[in-house]
Amino acid sequence: MQIAEQSTAAEPVIDVQSIPPHQRHPLILQATQDLAPGRGFVLVNDHDPRPLSLQIQALFGDAVSWTYQERGPERWRVRIGRPESGTAPATSLRVRIGRGGQASAVAAETPLGVAGGGLVCEITDCPPGTTAEQVLDLMQGVIPPAGQLHLPYERLVARRSGSCCGGMCG
């Protein structure tokens, strides 16, 4: 990640123009995940990062703000921040995956692993405000890799958006 300059609010400016495209989103998402309440950074790009804004909204909901500061045509600047309010910690949900791939929510104290004709796994790092219905919708048809009982929400979103491995690779 390249921090090229400082914004007027003494926040880092991350200029991704020289970073290979396939590395940009993971770096920006990690920087967003690491933001403390009340902090932010300015993203500089050579095109409108609208697809990234949709991905951030899906992952973080209202816990992260997105404010355009400059809109092209040669450079886009966006402030990505974590407001003081709306910063509830990420949550998790336990899900039973039946033999046919159907998913249903189970109680938080349900043991992980094979149980009751299905597999109970935990979906971790769900953005604040994520409903059980949203998680279950993403889970339909998912069969976790053997031995993997904790699935990050981000990987389910990647699977839905067509990643090469269904969001299940490292």
Side-chain angles (χ1 to χ4, degrees):
M1 184 178 319
Q2 197 174 42
I3 299 180
E5 54 190 280
Q6 294 293 316
S7 71
T8 57
E11 292 180 328
V13 174
I14 302 173
D15 186 341
V16 297
Q17 296 175 93
S18 64
I19 296 174
H22 68 278
Q23 293 178 356
R24 293 178 184 183
H25 283 212
L27 291 172
I28 297 164
L29 292 173
Q30 185 63 55
T32 303
Q33 178 71 35
D34 293 343
L35 284 173
R39 300 292 302 161
F41 62 89
V42 175
L43 169 67
V44 178
N45 205 353
D46 56 2
H47 65 275
D48 187 354
R50 178 149 169 68
L52 176 65
S53 75
L54 298 173
Q55 189 174 15
I56 286 177
Q57 178 65 36
L59 291 172
F60 299 100
D62 293 336
V64 173
S65 63
W66 178 277
T67 309
Y68 281 97
Q69 295 181 331
E70 183 179 344
R71 292 181 184 245
E74 294 178 20
R75 182 169 82 162
W76 277 258
R77 291 174 61 90
V78 177
R79 182 185 184 275
I80 299 171
R82 188 175 296 273
E84 290 287 347
S85 62
T87 57
T91 59
S92 64
L93 178 72
R94 294 218 173 173
V95 175
R96 179 185 318 273
I97 303 169
R99 291 183 184 173
Q102 71 279 12
S104 58
V106 295
E109 58 274 357
T110 304
L112 296 175
V114 178
L119 175 69
V120 176
C121 61
E122 186 167 30
I123 310 308
T124 61
D125 301 321
C126 298
T130 302
T131 66
E133 291 77 23
Q134 290 169 315
V135 173
L136 293 174
D137 181 54
L138 290 171
M139 282 298 297
Q140 294 304 321
V142 170
I143 305 297
Q148 189 169 355
L149 300 176
H150 299 279
L151 301 173
Y153 181 85
E154 177 181 332
R155 290 195 182 172
L156 296 176
V157 173
R159 174 185 177 270
R160 178 58 56 95
S161 44
S163 78
C164 63
C165 62
M168 297 299 154
C169 66

